[in-house]
Amino acid sequence: MKIKLLGKTPAELKAVVTSLGLPAFTAKQIADWMYSKRVHSIDEMTNISKAGREKLSEKYEVGAVAPAGMALSSDGTKKYLFPVSCVRKSGLNAYENAQPEDFEDAAIEAVMIPDADRKTLCVSSQSGCRMGCKFCMTGRQGFHGHLSAADILAQFISIDESQELTNAVFMGMGEPLDNWENVSRAIEVLTADWGFGWSPKRITLSSIGVLPNLRKYLEESRCHLAISLHDPFPDERASMMPVQKAYPLDEVIAMIRQYDFTGQRRVSFEYTMFAGFNDTKRHEDGLIRLLRGMECRVNLIRFHQIPDFPYKTSSDSIMESFRDRLSAHGITCTIRSSRGEDILAACGMLAGQHKENQ
Ligand code: SF4
């Protein structure tokens, strides 16, 4: 199996090229071809000598992945399905150190969402997920492995809209803070001058709040944060999100309150609405108490129905009155528009369907 170059820093690329006897400046050329021009193969790096490209190709590849499927929504949202060979070990070099028997074949999704002058990519960070949220198709599929930084970045360079992408949200399959080393490397590549050169304001990471790595994210990055809240009451939240027991919501909120979100950096809270479960006045009051005085936004999300789940989405009128009550108490609150419903754009739906069809 060849080693992927995607995700490597200029210093790491320099170590690669010098070990092959190629000039050190080749590292900069490779970074430019991968991260700026977003080519898919070493052979396309035409300012590197043919002999140099051949030497590189013996052991290395860029790491672009041809999508195994694509679904186009009537609203322009596009969902891509990618095959991955993933490992369960975490860490930045888990792939390079893995044995052939460590790999498991799986699938991941990436969703491109066009909106006025933006094209946002919703990326996956793991295949499956270990967090087991009851309302989530990905959670139901169990865990197949952490994506490498290369596999995360491959989602950006392997799609038709690669050069038109403007924003990224880590809201696809998996819990990004459960794969922090690889996600943080991918963010480094996206925001570095030698990488994609994006402002951190163009990136949002969504998490259920894995506390130790949430601290690292808040300290080490300047990107936006979205927290999957879904219920302000511990017991109810735990019944939907087992992670509540390990990382209680009040500790997550207490940590976030230690950081400044009054400037360019934003924190938002995701709240999927389940009729009769978390959409009552009691829940409005709970949220108002929990978020009092915070500079934040609450996004109310319509629930995409999944099989064998007892709750349906709340009605539009309930969502609107929920939004109005929070807004009246000074909490910026919006109802997230539903995108790509006709192509099962909710997290994990297409990969789950793919697995069932195999
Ligand atoms: Fe994992 Fe997110 Fe699904 Fe929960 S909602 S199981 S954290 S992917």
Side-chain angles (χ1 to χ4, degrees):
M1 191 180 278
K2 290 189 180 175
I3 298 171
K4 296 179 179 184
L5 294 171
L6 263 180
K8 292 196 182 297
T9 62
E12 289 165 347
L13 291 170
K14 195 169 163 193
V16 166
V17 297
T18 50
S19 75
L20 297 174
L22 299 174
F25 63 77
T26 314
K28 240 179 142 190
Q29 293 172 313
I30 296 172
D32 183 54
W33 283 110
M34 288 195 300
Y35 303 138
S36 194
K37 302 191 176 76
R38 305 190 196 155
V39 299
H40 292 184
S41 72
I42 291 171
D43 219 37
E44 291 170 81
M45 302 180 182
T46 46
N47 59 357
I48 300 173
S49 69
K50 192 159 188 295
R53 281 181 270 151
E54 280 170 5
K55 227 177 216 178
L56 265 169
S57 300
E58 280 168 20
K59 231 174 132 186
Y60 297 93
E61 62 183 357
V62 169
V65 183
M70 192 275 283
L72 174 64
S73 163
S74 54
D75 67 12
T77 301
K78 255 182 173 181
K79 178 174 270 200
Y80 290 92
L81 186 72
F82 291 105
V84 281
S85 225
C86 49
V87 298
R88 284 168 181 264
K89 288 182 195 142
S90 59
L92 199 49
N93 297 316
Y95 277 65
E96 289 181 20
N97 297 330
Q99 301 302 309
E101 62 272 20
D102 295 331
F103 286 91
E104 183 179 335
D105 288 336
I108 56 156
E109 303 166 357
V111 182
M112 191 285 300
I113 307 155
D115 189 13
D117 54 351
R118 284 183 177 197
K119 280 199 168 75
T120 300
L121 190 67
C122 177
V123 277
S124 292
S125 54
Q126 297 175 317
S127 178
C129 185
R130 298 200 281 196
M131 301 299 143
C133 303
K134 300 278 195 299
F135 50 83
C136 170
M137 286 300 282
T138 303
R140 285 196 187 178
Q141 286 159 31
F143 179 63
H144 303 293
H146 301 283
L147 298 194
S148 64
D151 285 337
I152 296 170
L153 291 164
Q155 297 168 66
F156 289 83
I157 75 160
S158 305
I159 64 169
D160 297 342
E161 301 78 14
S162 177
Q163 286 292 355
E164 299 149 45
L165 291 173
T166 58
N167 294 68
V169 290
F170 285 81
M171 289 187 186
M173 299 175 78
E175 163 52 57
L177 293 185
D178 188 38
N179 183 19
W180 172 240
E181 290 91 344
N182 288 297
V183 167
S184 104
R185 171 58 64 89
I187 290 175
E188 183 185 354
V189 172
L190 291 171
T191 54
D193 289 343
W194 49 261
F196 281 47
W198 286 11
S199 157
K201 286 183 294 183
R202 293 163 64 175
I203 298 167
T204 301
L205 179 143
S206 173
S207 171
I208 42 107
V210 177
L211 285 168
N213 290 338
L214 177 60
R215 171 77 75 197
K216 289 184 189 162
Y217 180 70
L218 290 166
E219 290 286 337
E220 295 169 21
S221 117
R222 288 180 296 125
C223 303
H224 302 310
L225 174 68
I227 292 289
S228 300
L229 199 159
H230 307 310
D231 200 299
F233 301 110
D235 289 352
E236 289 178 15
R237 187 169 187 259
S239 74
M240 283 281 187
M241 303 171 70
V243 74
Q244 165 70 20
K245 295 193 183 100
Y247 304 121
L249 182 61
D250 54 356
E251 291 182 28
V252 172
I253 303 280
M255 186 180 284
I256 293 169
R257 282 187 187 274
Q258 295 166 18
Y259 292 84
D260 179 16
F261 287 96
T262 56
Q264 302 256 311
R265 192 177 203 188
R266 290 195 307 263
V267 61
S268 56
F269 295 94
E270 311 287 299
Y271 198 93
T272 305
M273 307 263 317
F274 305 108
F277 180 80
N278 65 353
D279 63 353
T280 67
K281 181 170 178 301
R282 189 171 60 86
H283 294 91
E284 293 168 0
D285 292 338
L287 270 180
I288 291 164
R289 268 197 308 274
L290 191 68
L291 303 179
R292 183 164 288 139
M294 272 183 107
E295 193 67 43
C296 65
R297 170 186 294 270
V298 172
N299 289 317
L300 304 180
I301 301 165
R302 280 188 191 85
F303 176 54
H304 292 257
Q305 192 65 44
I306 60 172
D308 305 321
F309 184 77
Y311 299 101
K312 294 196 164 28
T313 192
S314 305
S315 67
D316 285 355
S317 62
I318 294 265
M319 289 182 80
E320 283 158 17
S321 78
F322 204 96
R323 175 197 60 198
D324 294 344
R325 178 110 194 286
L326 263 58
S327 303
H329 281 79
I331 298 172
T332 308
C333 184
T334 49
I335 298 173
R336 163 103 44 85
S337 62
S338 223
R339 301 296 304 269
E341 197 145 10
D342 53 335
I343 55 160
L344 308 175
C347 163
M349 298 280 258
L350 189 64
Q353 202 177 56
H354 177 75
K355 217 168 157 47
E356 277 165 23
N357 291 344
Q358 279 180 334

